Amino acid sequence: MESNATSHKICPALIGRWCKKTILVWLSVVLILVILALMFVIWVATGPRSLQEVTPQISAQINQQLPNYQIELGDIILSWDHWQSPLDARFQEVHIRTQAGQMVSKLEYVDVSLDPLKFLTGTVVLDEVTLYSPVITIFRKPDGEYI
């Protein structure tokens, strides 16, 4: 009987230690995420940052969302714009073509203001989009439909 009594005394102690370790692990994960988010904010806030290394991947993601068009991006620049809309992405040399290769639009650059809190959680929410020097071409198919 004594062994059963001691096992009941040990179990709450083990569960207590396990709970403490689990809480410490979760707190560590949260702390690491907060530190990474702060590092990202400081990185962006200290000056415009080029995303040239990942621009092809971002362009590919955009092209997957627009199957009838092909988007070409020269570069993407992240900057801290102002406090009302702090995270700004500038897409430079934006060319939009049909799948047949016809130029539909050419823009010197496009400024996109992003919601920074949503962006840090992995969701892209656009607050504002501004087009600079747009050249837009409209094509009419033989059946009368416009491209």
mmCIF file of all heavy atoms in Angstrom, residues 107-128:
data_model
loop_
_atom_site.group_PDB
_atom_site.id
_atom_site.type_symbol
_atom_site.label_atom_id
_atom_site.label_comp_id
_atom_site.label_asym_id
_atom_site.label_seq_id
_atom_site.Cartn_x
_atom_site.Cartn_y
_atom_site.Cartn_z
ATOM 1 N N LEU A 107 3.813 50.454 -65.537
ATOM 2 C CA LEU A 107 3.804 51.459 -64.479
ATOM 3 C C LEU A 107 5.232 51.701 -64.012
ATOM 4 O O LEU A 107 6.008 50.755 -63.828
ATOM 5 C CB LEU A 107 2.957 50.986 -63.303
ATOM 6 C CG LEU A 107 1.509 50.652 -63.672
ATOM 7 C CD1 LEU A 107 1.218 49.211 -63.376
ATOM 8 C CD2 LEU A 107 0.576 51.553 -62.943
ATOM 9 N N GLU A 108 5.557 52.984 -63.802
ATOM 10 C CA GLU A 108 6.880 53.308 -63.275
ATOM 11 C C GLU A 108 7.054 52.655 -61.910
ATOM 12 O O GLU A 108 8.054 52.001 -61.640
ATOM 13 C CB GLU A 108 7.046 54.820 -63.176
ATOM 14 C CG GLU A 108 8.412 55.258 -62.736
ATOM 15 C CD GLU A 108 8.540 56.776 -62.726
ATOM 16 O OE1 GLU A 108 7.828 57.465 -63.480
ATOM 17 O OE2 GLU A 108 9.355 57.258 -61.938
ATOM 18 N N TYR A 109 6.058 52.835 -61.047
ATOM 19 C CA TYR A 109 6.022 52.127 -59.784
ATOM 20 C C TYR A 109 4.625 52.203 -59.193
ATOM 21 O O TYR A 109 3.807 53.028 -59.572
ATOM 22 C CB TYR A 109 7.087 52.600 -58.787
ATOM 23 C CG TYR A 109 7.075 54.070 -58.420
ATOM 24 C CD1 TYR A 109 6.379 54.520 -57.314
ATOM 25 C CD2 TYR A 109 7.793 54.996 -59.159
ATOM 26 C CE1 TYR A 109 6.386 55.850 -56.965
ATOM 27 C CE2 TYR A 109 7.810 56.337 -58.818
ATOM 28 C CZ TYR A 109 7.103 56.758 -57.720
ATOM 29 O OH TYR A 109 7.116 58.082 -57.370
ATOM 30 N N VAL A 110 4.387 51.275 -58.263
ATOM 31 C CA VAL A 110 3.121 51.186 -57.554
ATOM 32 C C VAL A 110 3.445 51.198 -56.066
ATOM 33 O O VAL A 110 4.233 50.379 -55.601
ATOM 34 C CB VAL A 110 2.356 49.896 -57.911
ATOM 35 C CG1 VAL A 110 1.065 49.796 -57.115
ATOM 36 C CG2 VAL A 110 2.091 49.811 -59.401
ATOM 37 N N ASP A 111 2.855 52.142 -55.330
ATOM 38 C CA ASP A 111 3.020 52.185 -53.882
ATOM 39 C C ASP A 111 1.834 51.487 -53.233
ATOM 40 O O ASP A 111 0.676 51.765 -53.564
ATOM 41 C CB ASP A 111 3.079 53.625 -53.363
ATOM 42 C CG ASP A 111 4.476 54.197 -53.411
ATOM 43 O OD1 ASP A 111 5.437 53.427 -53.566
ATOM 44 O OD2 ASP A 111 4.612 55.431 -53.285
ATOM 45 N N VAL A 112 2.134 50.582 -52.316
ATOM 46 C CA VAL A 112 1.105 49.837 -51.607
ATOM 47 C C VAL A 112 1.348 50.021 -50.118
ATOM 48 O O VAL A 112 2.432 49.717 -49.621
ATOM 49 C CB VAL A 112 1.154 48.342 -51.973
ATOM 50 C CG1 VAL A 112 0.125 47.558 -51.190
ATOM 51 C CG2 VAL A 112 0.959 48.141 -53.460
ATOM 52 N N SER A 113 0.356 50.555 -49.408
ATOM 53 C CA SER A 113 0.434 50.675 -47.949
ATOM 54 C C SER A 113 -0.205 49.438 -47.341
ATOM 55 O O SER A 113 -1.323 49.074 -47.693
ATOM 56 C CB SER A 113 -0.286 51.927 -47.466
ATOM 57 O OG SER A 113 0.363 53.072 -47.956
ATOM 58 N N LEU A 114 0.540 48.787 -46.443
ATOM 59 C CA LEU A 114 0.089 47.541 -45.840
ATOM 60 C C LEU A 114 -0.271 47.751 -44.376
ATOM 61 O O LEU A 114 0.306 48.603 -43.710
ATOM 62 C CB LEU A 114 1.205 46.493 -45.921
ATOM 63 C CG LEU A 114 1.756 46.206 -47.307
ATOM 64 C CD1 LEU A 114 3.007 45.346 -47.207
ATOM 65 C CD2 LEU A 114 0.714 45.535 -48.164
ATOM 66 N N ASP A 115 -1.198 46.952 -43.897
ATOM 67 C CA ASP A 115 -1.526 46.941 -42.473
ATOM 68 C C ASP A 115 -0.409 46.185 -41.760
ATOM 69 O O ASP A 115 -0.260 44.974 -41.949
ATOM 70 C CB ASP A 115 -2.866 46.242 -42.262
ATOM 71 C CG ASP A 115 -3.309 46.233 -40.814
ATOM 72 O OD1 ASP A 115 -2.438 46.190 -39.917
ATOM 73 O OD2 ASP A 115 -4.524 46.250 -40.572
ATOM 74 N N PRO A 116 0.410 46.874 -40.939
ATOM 75 C CA PRO A 116 1.592 46.217 -40.359
ATOM 76 C C PRO A 116 1.274 45.088 -39.387
ATOM 77 O O PRO A 116 1.987 44.095 -39.341
ATOM 78 C CB PRO A 116 2.333 47.356 -39.656
ATOM 79 C CG PRO A 116 1.329 48.427 -39.465
ATOM 80 C CD PRO A 116 0.303 48.262 -40.534
ATOM 81 N N LEU A 117 0.200 45.204 -38.615
ATOM 82 C CA LEU A 117 -0.134 44.141 -37.668
ATOM 83 C C LEU A 117 -0.566 42.873 -38.392
ATOM 84 O O LEU A 117 -0.168 41.769 -38.025
ATOM 85 C CB LEU A 117 -1.210 44.610 -36.689
ATOM 86 C CG LEU A 117 -0.803 45.768 -35.772
ATOM 87 C CD1 LEU A 117 -1.971 46.194 -34.904
ATOM 88 C CD2 LEU A 117 0.398 45.381 -34.928
ATOM 89 N N LYS A 118 -1.361 43.029 -39.421
ATOM 90 C CA LYS A 118 -1.788 41.868 -40.208
ATOM 91 C C LYS A 118 -0.597 41.269 -40.947
ATOM 92 O O LYS A 118 -0.472 40.060 -41.075
ATOM 93 C CB LYS A 118 -2.878 42.263 -41.215
ATOM 94 C CG LYS A 118 -4.151 42.743 -40.593
ATOM 95 C CD LYS A 118 -4.928 41.609 -40.000
ATOM 96 C CE LYS A 118 -6.268 42.130 -39.504
ATOM 97 N NZ LYS A 118 -7.054 41.135 -38.858
ATOM 98 N N PHE A 119 0.318 42.142 -41.443
ATOM 99 C CA PHE A 119 1.496 41.689 -42.174
ATOM 100 C C PHE A 119 2.382 40.820 -41.277
ATOM 101 O O PHE A 119 2.904 39.798 -41.711
ATOM 102 C CB PHE A 119 2.281 42.888 -42.715
ATOM 103 C CG PHE A 119 3.409 42.510 -43.625
ATOM 104 C CD1 PHE A 119 3.159 42.080 -44.916
ATOM 105 C CD2 PHE A 119 4.723 42.571 -43.190
ATOM 106 C CE1 PHE A 119 4.196 41.732 -45.761
ATOM 107 C CE2 PHE A 119 5.765 42.226 -44.023
ATOM 108 C CZ PHE A 119 5.505 41.803 -45.320
ATOM 109 N N LEU A 120 2.534 41.205 -40.019
ATOM 110 C CA LEU A 120 3.360 40.430 -39.094
ATOM 111 C C LEU A 120 2.756 39.068 -38.779
ATOM 112 O O LEU A 120 3.466 38.145 -38.397
ATOM 113 C CB LEU A 120 3.595 41.216 -37.802
ATOM 114 C CG LEU A 120 4.516 42.423 -37.933
ATOM 115 C CD1 LEU A 120 4.577 43.196 -36.625
ATOM 116 C CD2 LEU A 120 5.916 42.011 -38.373
ATOM 117 N N THR A 121 1.440 38.939 -38.945
ATOM 118 C CA THR A 121 0.797 37.646 -38.729
ATOM 119 C C THR A 121 0.734 36.814 -40.006
ATOM 120 O O THR A 121 0.193 35.714 -39.993
ATOM 121 C CB THR A 121 -0.629 37.820 -38.177
ATOM 122 O OG1 THR A 121 -1.426 38.516 -39.143
ATOM 123 C CG2 THR A 121 -0.628 38.569 -36.861
ATOM 124 N N GLY A 122 1.288 37.344 -41.098
ATOM 125 C CA GLY A 122 1.337 36.586 -42.345
ATOM 126 C C GLY A 122 0.204 36.885 -43.310
ATOM 127 O O GLY A 122 0.093 36.255 -44.350
ATOM 128 N N THR A 123 -0.643 37.834 -42.990
ATOM 129 C CA THR A 123 -1.754 38.211 -43.850
ATOM 130 C C THR A 123 -1.448 39.558 -44.487
ATOM 131 O O THR A 123 -1.055 40.490 -43.805
ATOM 132 C CB THR A 123 -3.057 38.319 -43.034
ATOM 133 O OG1 THR A 123 -3.260 37.098 -42.339
ATOM 134 C CG2 THR A 123 -4.250 38.599 -43.935
ATOM 135 N N VAL A 124 -1.624 39.641 -45.805
ATOM 136 C CA VAL A 124 -1.381 40.901 -46.502
ATOM 137 C C VAL A 124 -2.715 41.620 -46.683
ATOM 138 O O VAL A 124 -3.603 41.123 -47.372
ATOM 139 C CB VAL A 124 -0.702 40.667 -47.871
ATOM 140 C CG1 VAL A 124 -0.508 41.970 -48.611
ATOM 141 C CG2 VAL A 124 0.625 39.948 -47.681
ATOM 142 N N VAL A 125 -2.853 42.772 -46.021
ATOM 143 C CA VAL A 125 -4.058 43.598 -46.122
ATOM 144 C C VAL A 125 -3.619 44.954 -46.664
ATOM 145 O O VAL A 125 -2.787 45.630 -46.063
ATOM 146 C CB VAL A 125 -4.757 43.759 -44.754
ATOM 147 C CG1 VAL A 125 -5.940 44.697 -44.869
ATOM 148 C CG2 VAL A 125 -5.193 42.410 -44.222
ATOM 149 N N LEU A 126 -4.176 45.337 -47.812
ATOM 150 C CA LEU A 126 -3.812 46.604 -48.441
ATOM 151 C C LEU A 126 -4.653 47.732 -47.866
ATOM 152 O O LEU A 126 -5.878 47.656 -47.862
ATOM 153 C CB LEU A 126 -4.025 46.532 -49.950
ATOM 154 C CG LEU A 126 -3.344 45.373 -50.682
ATOM 155 C CD1 LEU A 126 -3.677 45.422 -52.166
ATOM 156 C CD2 LEU A 126 -1.859 45.390 -50.468
ATOM 157 N N ASP A 127 -3.978 48.779 -47.386
ATOM 158 C CA ASP A 127 -4.681 49.968 -46.911
ATOM 159 C C ASP A 127 -4.881 50.964 -48.052
ATOM 160 O O ASP A 127 -5.912 51.633 -48.131
ATOM 161 C CB ASP A 127 -3.896 50.649 -45.786
ATOM 162 C CG ASP A 127 -4.005 49.905 -44.472
ATOM 163 O OD1 ASP A 127 -4.964 49.141 -44.299
ATOM 164 O OD2 ASP A 127 -3.130 50.090 -43.612
ATOM 165 N N GLU A 128 -3.884 51.071 -48.939
ATOM 166 C CA GLU A 128 -3.926 52.065 -50.009
ATOM 167 C C GLU A 128 -3.026 51.594 -51.147
ATOM 168 O O GLU A 128 -1.966 51.025 -50.919
ATOM 169 C CB GLU A 128 -3.414 53.398 -49.465
ATOM 170 C CG GLU A 128 -3.452 54.545 -50.427
ATOM 171 C CD GLU A 128 -2.937 55.820 -49.787
ATOM 172 O OE1 GLU A 128 -3.102 56.009 -48.574
ATOM 173 O OE2 GLU A 128 -2.355 56.629 -50.527
#
